[in-house]
Amino acid sequence: MVDYSVWDHIEVSDDEDETHPNIDTASLFRWRHQARVERMEQFQKEKEELDKGCRECKRKLAECQKKLKELEVAEPGGGSGGVRGERERLQAEAQQLRHEERNWESKMEELRKKEKNMPWNVDTLSKDGFSKSVFNVKAEEKEETEEQKEQKHKTFVERHEKQIKHFGMLRRWDDSQKYLSDNPHLVCEETANYLVIWCIDLEVEEKQALMEQVAHQTIVMQFILELAKSLKVDPRACFRQFFTKIKTADQQYMEGFNDELEAFKERVRGRAKARIERAMREYEEEERQKRLGPGGLDPVDVYESLPPELQKCFDAKDVQMLQDTISRMDPTEAKYHMQRCIDSGLWVPNHQ
């Protein structure tokens, strides 16, 4: 049996409507049509504004999450106070953006319901109903714990490190596409994370040219992952679309890619610098701990705090000069400095 209820929401066509003989039918039809068109245009404008706002919110959230991920990859142990503060700021920003994203999606859903209940008419029925592509939606995955992510990354790298490094050394679009076609398992977050860490390692080792090469491939992988998120598909199903797009890209798209690449390289330099400075501080602290005397004082610090006349005695390694200098000093001051020298190991009593 045919279900005629589908036609319940179709507006009566203008030329089927009965009007009074004294009414200018043609004008009435024009007015009705114009009002309908204006309603449709207003609805379309509202739809476009919501869509734009939703996409912008998603873009900001993706950017914030990417920065947070880079920070977590570069500083897995939490880092310094400044790094922890930046992580907390990004986490708060991401939480706020996720809240805004839910609000945008709620408004979009309300608009879709409104659109579904709108009456059909000659203008809507004549529109192309097959103007958009349909992709297989990636199923929602249960969020992994940090321990699971770390173990997953470690296992993946152990299996595929050689292949990841090979991809990182490629430059031409065609070579990258072919290599990922032959090794689709590399199209994933683990590869992107490894490339980020490798970039920082290369910068620390002062291999800037190689770092910039690998950085290029890092952004390639990140663009593919972002495309997959926007399409809600597995990254392995859309990496060819990225290469098709980038190989024929207009100036604006290429500028966006290059801007992201330059910003990433700048972040890598910053992370490398912070890592070097932290390593230097740790080394200096280890050396200081080794130098500490029996009283827990650093002989270098103690020496630098001595009056110049006492410093000359230690420079000359002259015990008699030291004793003569102390005898001329205020007893309290002399006792203070000599006790610090003993506690730091700079001076060992009864040892000449």
Side-chain angles (χ1 to χ4, degrees):
M1 181 180 292
V2 178
D3 182 10
Y4 291 99
S5 63
V6 69
W7 307 110
D8 291 345
H9 292 286
I10 298 180
E11 286 184 338
V12 178
S13 175
D14 291 336
D15 57 7
E16 294 177 2
D17 200 6
E18 294 182 1
T19 57
H20 192 276
N22 293 335
I23 296 177
D24 181 356
T25 304
S27 296
L28 177 61
F29 290 166
R30 283 196 300 273
W31 294 335
R32 284 180 174 176
H33 175 73
Q34 182 63 31
R36 189 168 61 236
V37 168
E38 289 176 356
R39 286 199 307 272
M40 289 171 60
E41 287 177 348
Q42 179 62 33
F43 180 84
Q44 185 62 28
K45 182 179 178 182
E46 183 181 355
K47 186 177 179 182
E48 289 173 357
E49 288 177 352
L50 277 177
D51 183 60
K52 181 180 179 182
C54 188
R55 283 189 286 108
E56 179 64 15
C57 181
K58 288 179 182 293
R59 184 192 67 77
K60 290 180 179 179
L61 178 58
E63 183 178 342
C64 181
Q65 289 174 330
K66 181 166 66 176
K67 290 180 180 178
L68 189 58
K69 182 182 296 180
E70 288 177 4
L71 196 65
E72 289 172 348
V73 168
E75 304 286 349
S80 62
V83 172
R84 286 195 296 272
E86 177 67 6
R87 177 182 283 121
E88 290 172 0
R89 186 189 69 78
L90 288 171
Q91 288 173 338
E93 183 180 344
Q95 184 177 358
Q96 176 62 29
L97 287 168
R98 278 192 288 268
H99 177 71
E100 292 178 10
E101 183 185 32
R102 287 193 293 271
N103 288 341
W104 283 112
E105 289 176 346
S106 176
K107 291 177 182 178
M108 290 290 290
E109 182 60 29
E110 290 178 8
L111 195 67
R112 279 192 286 269
K113 290 179 181 178
K114 183 179 177 182
E115 183 178 27
K116 187 177 180 180
N117 293 327
M118 285 176 64
W120 298 352
N121 55 60
V122 66
D123 296 302
T124 54
L125 286 171
S126 63
K127 287 188 179 292
D128 182 5
F130 302 93
S131 60
K132 66 176 181 179
S133 301
V134 178
F135 300 93
N136 291 327
V137 177
K138 186 178 180 181
E140 290 290 329
E141 296 180 357
K142 187 177 180 180
E143 191 166 346
E144 298 172 316
T145 64
E146 289 303 317
E147 291 77 12
Q148 288 173 327
K149 289 179 182 178
E150 186 176 343
Q151 185 56 46
K152 183 179 178 182
H153 177 79
K154 183 180 178 181
T155 303
F156 184 85
V157 169
E158 287 174 352
R159 290 178 182 173
H160 308 297
E161 184 174 21
K162 186 176 178 180
Q163 292 176 318
I164 298 172
K165 285 194 168 183
H166 182 89
F167 173 76
M169 300 299 290
L170 299 175
R171 182 69 186 186
R172 296 177 64 248
W173 302 120
D174 290 337
D175 293 339
S176 295
Q177 181 176 353
K178 184 179 185 307
Y179 195 73
L180 292 181
S181 297
D182 295 339
N183 302 278
H185 54 277
L186 295 181
V187 188
C188 61
E189 293 280 354
E190 287 70 37
T191 294
N193 291 343
Y194 181 90
L195 292 173
V196 169
I197 297 171
W198 191 18
C199 283
I200 298 171
D201 290 342
L202 290 170
E203 183 65 21
V204 168
E205 296 165 10
E206 298 185 351
K207 299 177 180 177
Q208 285 88 1
L210 189 53
M211 181 280 285
E212 293 189 1
Q213 162 60 43
V214 178
H216 179 274
Q217 295 301 89
T218 307
I219 298 303
V220 167
M221 187 57 64
Q222 289 185 349
F223 263 59
I224 293 170
L225 296 175
E226 289 302 321
L227 177 62
K229 286 180 183 177
S230 66
L231 298 178
K232 295 184 179 179
V233 298
D234 190 298
R236 293 169 293 183
C238 70
F239 71 87
R240 292 179 181 83
Q241 289 175 258
F242 164 76
F243 287 109
T244 299
K245 173 75 172 175
I246 200 72
K247 285 189 284 189
T248 59
D250 54 27
Q251 184 180 354
Q252 184 177 3
Y253 190 81
M254 281 306 304
E255 285 179 354
F257 180 90
N258 290 329
D259 288 347
E260 186 62 34
L261 175 58
E262 291 304 316
F264 173 71
K265 287 190 288 189
E266 198 59 36
R267 289 196 293 273
V268 166
R269 294 185 187 104
R271 296 286 173 242
K273 182 180 178 183
R275 186 192 289 182
I276 292 170
E277 290 174 350
R278 185 173 66 250
M280 288 298 296
R281 288 195 299 271
E282 290 173 355
Y283 172 77
E284 290 170 358
E285 180 59 24
E286 287 176 5
E287 291 299 305
R288 196 182 75 85
Q289 289 294 329
K290 292 176 185 177
R291 292 195 304 264
L292 295 183
L297 296 183
D298 183 353
V300 174
D301 292 341
V302 171
Y303 172 82
E304 291 175 349
S305 69
L306 292 176
E309 57 270 26
L310 282 179
Q311 288 183 351
K312 289 178 183 178
C313 298
F314 283 100
D315 291 341
K317 298 180 181 179
D318 190 324
V319 177
Q320 188 59 50
M321 183 190 296
L322 178 62
Q323 291 173 344
D324 293 343
T325 303
I326 291 172
S327 66
R328 292 193 298 269
M329 292 178 64
D330 175 77
T332 304
E333 184 183 3
K335 184 179 178 180
Y336 167 76
H337 285 300
M338 289 312 297
Q339 185 60 52
R340 282 170 55 80
C341 288
I342 293 170
D343 290 342
S344 67
L346 189 63
W347 171 257
V348 180
N350 303 321
H351 179 76
Q352 296 185 9

